[in-house]
C-alpha cells in the first residue's frame, strides 16, 4: 500500500525538525511518502519516506514570481507531487487546464503526479459524482501518452469528507474507484478524507483501495503509528 502524508500549510522549521524525528522510527512495509511545505522540503532528511511536494508551477523556470518549477523540485529530490487538491481548486481557483499543464511538467521531469479528484456534498446529493470525476480525470490526462497516463497515482478525496470526520461507505468508495478504473485501469488509487486510526479497520475492508492520502493525522505521529499498525494487521 501507499501512505502519503499531506502536511498542507503546517509545521514551522523547528516544528518540522521535531516532527521528522518522530517519523524517523516508523518501519513500515508500505510505501511511505511525505509531502511537506515547499520550505520544509529543503530540510527533509528521512530515509524511511520518499519526498513529495503539494503543488508545482504550470511553467518551466522563468519569470513567474513566487512559483516553484518541476525542474526545481526535481533538484531537491522530489519524487511525487500532489496536483489538483480540492483546496487549491477552490481557494486558488486552479483550473482544469492548469492542472493538465502541471501534470505534463511533472512527467517531463520524472516526478509522479498524485492527482486529487472528488465531488462536493451538493454534487453527490444531485447524482453528479461521476460527472465531476469524469471531468476532472479526462481533462487532467488530456494529451498524455498511454505510458504517461499509467504513471499517475489518483487520490479520490470527496470534498465533503476532508477534515470533517465523515467518511463515505465502503460501497460508495468502491463505486467511485471502479468508475475511475474505466478511465485509468492500470493506476493506483488512494482514498483521502478523514481517514484516521479509528476508521482504518473499516476502510481497510475495502480491498480496492491501494493506499491513503492523509491530512490531519499526518501531523500526529503517534496516531499515525497506530493507523499504520492497524493497516498492517
Ligand atoms: P484530512 O485527512 O484532514 O481529512 O485531509 C485529507 C486531505 O485533504 C489529504 O490531502
Amino acid at each position: 500500500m501507499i501512505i502519503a502524508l499531506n502536511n498542507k500549510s503546517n509545521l514551522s522549521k523547528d516544528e518540522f525538525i521535531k516532527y521528522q524525528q518522530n517519523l524517523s522510527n516508523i518501519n513500515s512495509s508500505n510505501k511511505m511518502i511525505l509531502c511537506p511545505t515547499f520550505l520544509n522540503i529543503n530540510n527533509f532528511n528521512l530515509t524511511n519516506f520518499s519526498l513529495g511536494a503539494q503543488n508545482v508551477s504550470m511553467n518551466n523556470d522563468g519569470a513567474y514570481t513566487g512559483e516553484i518549477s518541476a525542474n526545481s523540485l526535481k533538484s531537491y529530490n522530489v519524487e511525487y507531487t500532489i496536483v489538483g487538491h480540492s483546496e487549491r481548486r477552490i481557494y486558488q481557483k486552479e483550473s482544469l487546464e492548469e492542472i493538465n499543464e502541471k501534470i505534463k511538467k511533472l512527467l517531463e521531469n520524472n516526478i509522479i503526479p498524485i492527482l486529487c479528484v472528488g465531488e462536493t456534498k451538493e454534487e453527490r446529493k444531485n447524482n453528479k459524482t461521476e460527472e465531476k470525476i469524469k471531468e476532472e480525470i479526462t481533462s487532467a490526462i488530456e494529451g498524455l501518452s498511454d505510458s504517461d497516463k499509467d504513471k499517475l497515482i489518483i487520490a479520490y478525496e470527496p470534498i465533503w469528507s476532508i477534515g470533517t470526520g465523515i467518511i463515505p461507505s465502503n460501497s460508495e468508495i468502491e463505486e467511485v474507484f471502479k468508475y475511475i478504473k474505466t478511465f485509468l485501469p492500470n493506476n493506483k488509487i488512494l482514498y483521502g478524507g478523514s481517514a484516521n486510526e479509528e476508521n482504518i479497520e473499516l476502510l481497510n475492508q475495502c480491498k480496492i483501495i491501494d493506499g491513503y492520502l492523509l491530512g490531519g493525522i499526518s501531523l500526529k505521529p503517534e496516531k499515525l503509528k497506530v493507523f499504520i499498525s492497524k493497516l498492517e494487521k
Side-chain angles (χ1 to χ4, degrees):
M1 285 228 173
I2 299 169
I3 301 178
L5 308 184
N6 178 4
N7 284 171
K8 304 194 178 181
S9 191
N10 292 293
L11 302 176
S12 63
K13 182 180 176 184
D14 290 348
E15 286 168 345
F16 184 70
I17 289 166
K18 201 167 145 213
Y19 170 75
Q20 282 198 125
Q21 287 165 359
N22 288 326
L23 293 189
S24 62
N25 60 7
I26 292 180
N27 271 322
S28 173
S29 54
N30 297 294
K31 171 81 192 163
M32 306 292 297
I33 304 169
L34 177 61
C35 304
T37 63
F38 278 141
L39 288 172
N40 285 335
I41 280 176
N42 195 30
N43 291 320
F44 176 80
N45 67 4
L46 295 172
T47 51
N48 51 344
F49 279 77
S50 295
L51 181 58
Q54 299 172 20
N55 182 33
V56 65
S57 171
M58 63 181 280
N59 296 110
N60 291 324
D61 291 349
Y64 304 100
T65 303
E67 292 292 301
I68 309 280
S69 68
N71 176 51
S72 176
L73 291 179
K74 192 68 191 175
S75 74
Y76 281 86
N77 302 315
V78 167
E79 295 178 69
Y80 299 84
T81 296
I82 297 169
V83 207
H85 193 283
S86 57
E87 287 153 10
R88 294 202 57 84
R89 294 183 195 256
I90 295 167
Y91 305 134
Q92 267 69 43
K93 307 274 181 290
E94 224 170 61
S95 70
L96 299 173
E97 294 74 22
E98 267 176 79
I99 290 164
N100 177 244
E101 277 309 316
K102 289 180 178 197
I103 288 172
K104 287 177 179 161
K105 294 292 181 292
L106 290 171
L107 291 169
E108 281 165 19
N109 285 278
N110 294 315
I111 297 173
I112 298 175
I114 303 176
L115 171 67
C116 299
V117 298
E119 79 288 359
T120 62
K121 195 174 173 184
E122 196 66 15
E123 285 160 346
R124 176 159 284 274
K125 204 176 86 192
N126 294 327
N127 286 322
K128 301 264 190 235
T129 300
E130 290 196 347
E131 201 178 300
K132 176 73 171 293
I133 303 281
K134 180 180 184 180
E135 181 184 51
E136 290 184 333
I137 299 231
T138 53
S139 60
I141 61 177
E142 173 89 40
L144 300 191
S145 66
D146 285 344
S147 68
D148 270 353
K149 276 182 208 167
D150 286 351
K151 291 176 189 157
L152 264 61
I153 294 173
I154 308 300
Y156 170 52
E157 297 207 317
I159 296 169
W160 49 275
S161 177
I162 296 175
T164 60
I166 303 166
I167 56 167
S169 68
N170 285 0
S171 63
E172 285 172 329
I173 293 175
E174 269 165 28
E175 215 173 293
V176 175
F177 272 49
K178 282 184 186 153
Y179 186 65
I180 292 172
K181 283 180 189 294
T182 63
F183 303 98
L184 295 168
N186 304 321
N187 300 61
K188 296 266 186 249
I189 311 178
L190 316 181
Y191 170 76
S194 293
N196 60 37
E197 78 290 1
E198 286 172 10
N199 57 29
I200 183 56
E201 283 148 319
L202 178 63
L203 286 167
N204 201 28
Q205 289 169 13
C206 209
K207 295 301 167 206
I208 201 164
I209 295 177
D210 295 310
Y212 297 89
L213 181 53
L214 305 173
I217 194 179
S218 84
L219 302 170
K220 302 191 176 90
E222 293 318 311
K223 290 188 174 179
L224 183 64
K225 286 172 193 171
V226 176
F227 179 95
I228 295 167
S229 70
K230 287 187 176 176
L231 191 61
E232 288 176 350
K233 256 185 208 155

